[in-house]
Amino acid sequence: MNPFFLFSIIDFLGVFVAAFGGAIAARRDQRYAFDLVGVLGLGFVSALGGGICRDLLIQHGPPLAFVDTRYLVTAFCGATAGLMLDLRVDAKLQGTLMMVDAAALGLFAVAGATRAMEAGLSSLPALLLGLTTAVGGGSLRDVLSGRTPKVFEKGELYAIVATVAATVFVLLRLLSVNHTVASCVGVGCGFLLRLLTIRFHWMTKSASIR
Amino acid sequence: MNPFFLFSIIDFLGVFVAAFGGAIAARRDQRYAFDLVGVLGLGFVSALGGGICRDLLIQHGPPLAFVDTRYLVTAFCGATAGLMLDLRVDAKLQGTLMMVDAAALGLFAVAGATRAMEAGLSSLPALLLGLTTAVGGGSLRDVLSGRTPKVFEKGELYAIVATVAATVFVLLRLLSVNHTVASCVGVGCGFLLRLLTIRFHWMTKSASIR
Amino acid sequence: MNPFFLFSIIDFLGVFVAAFGGAIAARRDQRYAFDLVGVLGLGFVSALGGGICRDLLIQHGPPLAFVDTRYLVTAFCGATAGLMLDLRVDAKLQGTLMMVDAAALGLFAVAGATRAMEAGLSSLPALLLGLTTAVGGGSLRDVLSGRTPKVFEKGELYAIVATVAATVFVLLRLLSVNHTVASCVGVGCGFLLRLLTIRFHWMTKSASIR
């Protein structure tokens, strides 16, 4: 099977799950009473914000999410599901969501770096833009919810996993490894590392010097 | 009379009123003591932030507000008026401001969708960019004032009115209705619907599941 | 000596100091426990956010910081220094940092206006984009740290100094003064005015009408 077909599935599943998760998080917010606009809006931002930030920074035409309408439709469906479902997300569904999110984390990092390199940027910016794609949506959601991006605070290794995935991909490409292979290894590294960090509760430490 | 001449008047009045309102809101802020830079800055952002966000997302040249200097001058005048006037805004002036704001809401939504379609984007992104134009300035102001965008919280139907205006316009255009007619109907729908929501105190409900 | 060689030194020193200062500020944050990602991220944003905002608004190719990799490397070194150093910044180092910051303030304002004019924008937008370059990084850092931009609040004259530097430069250019001379005068004005405002504790007043 062509791995890019698998990637495409992970991509849209990732967008759906991020929109769903963003909408649910908005409904659970302790400080603000978000309405339908807020829930859908924060779902959209969670799902598409990272890629849109990347495309603004690359300055190579309108954001992919506005050109390929399937992204908007997928995000809309995910956010609407998050708005409608009144059930408590049970443990089994939670596990599935976590798996999709872990796979999407690596994929978004690799896809972001790929897009930056295709637009002519060099390795270091490409790496940063991969990271931006992976964590930008959630961070923008956090800012729009009146808090600091969660990836900046001590806790789960999320941005670091994305950085590793993008770095592995970029290094393999620098070593002239075939694009398909480099992509698969990068996405796979991100996925496995994310599962490991969850399984073993690896956490980042505070860097405070108060 | 050419309706686009009327639209141009509403456009600049809308920018003026948004800058004025943003500056007054900054001076009334309960949590922060904004200075002249903050008041003028938040006035500018309220007035021009929506259009600038739209133009960044469209990626079709520098923001209109930086190319047509009349927008900057109008926003500056509005923000300066908000900075200087020490009077309590009385009920009659309040009513006028509200009418201008209602007319501008529909116009910004339609103008944003128009600009997105002219840049080659399809209906769904155009609709979202119309909404962004209408509510982006106020939302950016809210974020820069350390809160979540008011359009996301339960309360007045603001984003929904903008969405309706943009949707009506986009649908009429899809049905090949003449641009002038579609614009007039879209702006008119937005204006009337906004007045209705104010008159009858229509509110959105919280979607919280805490 | 070619003044632009001096400018280049101030430019990179300014980026380094801003990244260092942003990282230290993140570690001293009273409300959030930032980890390594947060400290490096806020250092990057402080150093490069202003120029990146300017380049997004100009829409004239990808941000300079992503094209000329020396900026990323300099910001990375500055942020890493801020992350590593556990010493309390002593008075002498504090004085040096303050001098570099004051010189960079004027330079960033002039460089931003220059870049905007080179992209074909007129004087008023160029002035605003000079201001954006100078204060955008710190402001973005503030927003990502969950507060309102410090330049908006009553206190030190920071944005006003940047505005003066950019205005002096733009006016001299309008009077057809040679680019090198106009740049030197603009940067010098910004530097001296910033030192004066610190020496004499000039402050802006609150514009509140609560």
Side-chain angles (χ1 to χ4, degrees), chain A residues 56-59 121-122 124-125 128-129 143 147-149 151-154 159-160 204-210, chain C residues 27-30 32-39 42 52 55-56 59 61-63 66 69 72 86 143-145:
Chain A
L56 289 185
L57 290 165
I58 292 178
Q59 299 254 342
L121 291 173
S122 58
L124 196 55
L128 269 182
L129 287 163
V143 169
R147 45 181 73 79
T148 191
V151 291
F152 281 177
E153 291 185 90
K154 79 179 165 86
I160 291 173
T204 62
K205 277 187 297 186
S206 165
S208 291
I209 43 168
R210 276 173 269 197
Chain C
R27 296 179 69 192
R28 294 230 172 101
D29 197 281
Q30 295 299 312
Y32 298 104
F34 292 114
D35 65 6
L36 139 151
V37 175
V39 171
L42 290 167
I52 289 176
D55 290 337
L56 289 185
Q59 300 254 339
F66 288 171
T69 313
L72 284 185
D86 208 2
V143 170
L144 289 176
S145 309

Side-chain angles (χ1 to χ4, degrees), chain A residues 2-208:
Chain A
N2 182 343
F4 287 99
F5 178 67
L6 176 64
F7 285 174
S8 192
I9 292 175
I10 300 177
D11 194 14
F12 286 108
L13 275 179
V15 166
F16 184 92
V17 165
F20 179 79
I24 293 282
R27 296 179 69 193
R28 293 232 172 101
D29 198 281
Q30 296 299 313
R31 293 191 300 164
Y32 297 105
F34 292 114
D35 65 6
L36 138 151
V37 174
V39 171
L40 293 181
L42 290 166
F44 261 88
V45 163
S46 306
L48 304 177
I52 289 177
C53 282
R54 174 204 60 209
D55 289 336
L56 289 185
L57 290 165
I58 292 178
Q59 299 254 342
H60 207 242
L64 185 58
F66 288 171
V67 174
D68 182 345
T69 315
R70 291 177 301 168
Y71 285 100
L72 285 184
V73 172
T74 307
F76 184 76
C77 292
T80 304
L83 178 68
M84 298 305 215
L85 294 186
D86 209 3
L87 47 84
R88 302 232 151 248
V89 177
D90 67 10
K92 202 180 150 192
L93 179 56
Q94 192 79 57
T96 312
L97 293 178
M98 189 264 283
M99 293 296 276
V100 173
D101 183 70
L105 177 60
L107 180 68
F108 287 176
V110 168
T114 301
R115 209 166 147 81
M117 289 167 105
E118 278 171 359
L121 291 173
S122 58
S123 305
L124 196 55
L127 201 158
L128 269 182
L129 287 163
L131 175 58
T132 303
T133 311
V135 307
S139 299
L140 201 52
R141 186 253 318 267
D142 291 333
V143 169
L144 289 176
S145 309
R147 45 181 73 79
T148 191
K150 211 186 283 176
V151 291
F152 281 177
E153 291 185 90
K154 79 179 165 86
E156 292 188 47
L157 280 80
Y158 204 83
I160 291 173
V161 171
T163 307
V164 170
T167 306
V168 166
F169 169 75
V170 167
L171 285 179
L172 290 176
R173 288 300 282 152
L174 283 180
L175 297 169
S176 304
V177 171
N178 171 286
H179 180 69
T180 308
V181 174
S183 300
C184 291
V185 176
V187 174
C189 276
F191 180 54
L192 288 180
L193 186 55
R194 175 71 182 144
L195 294 188
L196 285 175
T197 66
I198 294 175
R199 173 67 189 78
F200 295 107
H201 303 287
W202 291 336
M203 295 282 163
T204 62
K205 277 187 297 186
S206 165
S208 291

Side-chain angles (χ1 to χ4, degrees), chain B residues 1 35 41 50-51 73 76 91 103 115 122 148 151 159 169 180 192 202 210:
Chain B
M1 191 179 75
D35 65 5
V73 172
F76 184 75
R115 209 167 149 82
S122 59
T148 190
V151 291
F169 169 75
T180 308
L192 288 180
W202 290 337
R210 275 173 269 198

Side-chain angles (χ1 to χ4, degrees), chain B residues 27 30 33-35 63 144, chain C residues 57 148 152 154 204 207 209-210:
Chain B
R27 295 179 69 193
Q30 296 298 312
F34 292 114
D35 65 5
L144 290 176
Chain C
L57 291 165
T148 190
F152 281 177
K154 80 180 165 86
T204 62
I209 44 169
R210 275 172 267 198

Side-chain angles (χ1 to χ4, degrees), chain B residues 91-109:
Chain B
K92 201 179 151 191
L93 179 55
Q94 192 79 56
T96 312
L97 293 178
M98 188 265 283
M99 293 296 277
V100 172
D101 183 69
L105 178 59
L107 180 68
F108 288 175

Side-chain angles (χ1 to χ4, degrees), chain B residues 27-30 32-39 42 52 55-56 59 61-63 66 69 72 86 143-145, chain C residues 56-59 121-122 124-125 128-129 143 147-149 151-155 159-160 204-210:
Chain B
R27 295 179 69 193
R28 293 230 173 101
D29 197 281
Q30 296 298 312
Y32 298 105
F34 292 114
D35 65 5
L36 138 151
V37 174
V39 171
L42 290 167
I52 289 176
D55 289 337
L56 289 185
Q59 299 254 340
F66 288 171
T69 314
L72 285 185
D86 209 2
V143 170
L144 290 176
S145 309
Chain C
L56 289 185
L57 291 165
I58 292 178
Q59 300 254 339
L121 291 173
S122 58
L124 197 55
L128 269 182
L129 288 164
V143 170
R147 45 180 72 80
T148 190
V151 291
F152 281 177
E153 291 185 89
K154 80 180 165 86
I160 291 174
T204 62
K205 278 187 296 186
S206 164
S208 291
I209 44 169
R210 275 172 267 198

